[in-house]
Amino acid sequence: LTPDGTALTAVPLPTTEKVVRLVTMRDSLYILCASGRLYATTDLHTFAVTNANAIAGSAATTVVVSPEHGPVIGSVSSGIAYRPSQSYVSQCYPPGPIYNGTADLMYAPSTDQLYVTNGTYGFGMFRPEGEQWSDQVPGQNGVPQTNFGKVLYDSVRRCAWYTGSSMGVIQIGRAHV
């Protein structure tokens, strides 16, 4: 917004390509573009660029940022890539997720969990410490048959919200605070 709050101000980016995902963590803005370039900035003037496709091992589809591990990248066919120490661990799916194609990711600092959607294969949660997956497969344990697209962790209600192509939104976790 302009200083007087009456109009929007465009922020020039170092690229004109399609933006797939915007994520913030602390004082940084991360921008994942369709080409797989991941831009990071703290001042909107200086941008660091990373090849997210190379890190993930296939085309990057989404990114979230963990305060402990930095960018966590989801990909078309190589699962999840994250950085537990100085270097990235890619093709992370032990013993999960359900499917190595990632539709959406959400990291929740309050639970230290990564929430993931895997399209028609379901959704799951991943805890980086101990590399523990909790998979939810359509048609099992009351999980509806749908194409799971987006996920959002709600820290106020302490639950995750998942969208599906034929069901609207479902809630997993605690309903009320």
Side-chain angles (χ1 to χ4, degrees):
L1 283 174
T2 56
D4 64 2
T6 60
L8 295 176
T9 303
V11 175
L13 297 177
T15 182
T16 58
E17 59 188 307
K18 179 182 176 185
V19 173
V20 176
R21 179 89 180 223
L22 296 172
V23 182
T24 60
M25 177 57 68
R26 295 190 178 113
D27 67 345
S28 297
L29 171 66
Y30 296 83
I31 305 162
L32 178 64
C33 293
S35 67
R37 287 186 190 93
L38 178 62
Y39 295 91
T41 182
T42 58
D43 61 9
L44 295 175
H45 298 289
T46 307
F47 292 84
V49 65
T50 303
N51 184 340
N53 292 345
I55 292 169
S58 68
T61 55
T62 188
V63 65
V64 296
V65 181
S66 158
E68 295 83 22
H69 305 293
V72 179
I73 302 164
S75 67
V76 167
S77 61
S78 295
I80 308 279
Y82 75 105
R83 187 177 53 208
S85 57
Q86 296 294 356
S87 60
Y88 274 92
V89 173
S90 62
Q91 299 184 350
C92 179
Y93 30 77
I98 303 161
Y99 174 69
N100 296 330
T102 305
D104 195 20
L105 291 173
M106 176 76 193
Y107 176 76
S110 61
T111 63
D112 190 32
Q113 283 194 137
L114 184 67
Y115 297 82
V116 60
T117 59
N118 302 107
T120 58
Y121 294 92
F123 62 92
M125 288 73 68
F126 176 69
R127 189 174 295 275
E129 293 300 319
E131 295 186 351
Q132 298 173 341
W133 282 99
S134 172
D135 296 328
Q136 304 299 319
V137 179
Q140 297 179 12
N141 301 319
V143 177
Q145 296 280 353
T146 190
N147 185 356
F148 289 93
K150 299 289 182 187
V151 60
L152 173 72
Y153 184 79
D154 182 341
S155 61
V156 173
R157 292 171 188 81
R158 292 182 263 188
C159 66
W161 300 93
Y162 293 88
T163 64
S165 60
S166 60
M167 58 160 214
V169 178
I170 64 167
Q171 174 188 357
I172 304 293
R174 194 168 151 173
H176 304 286
V177 178

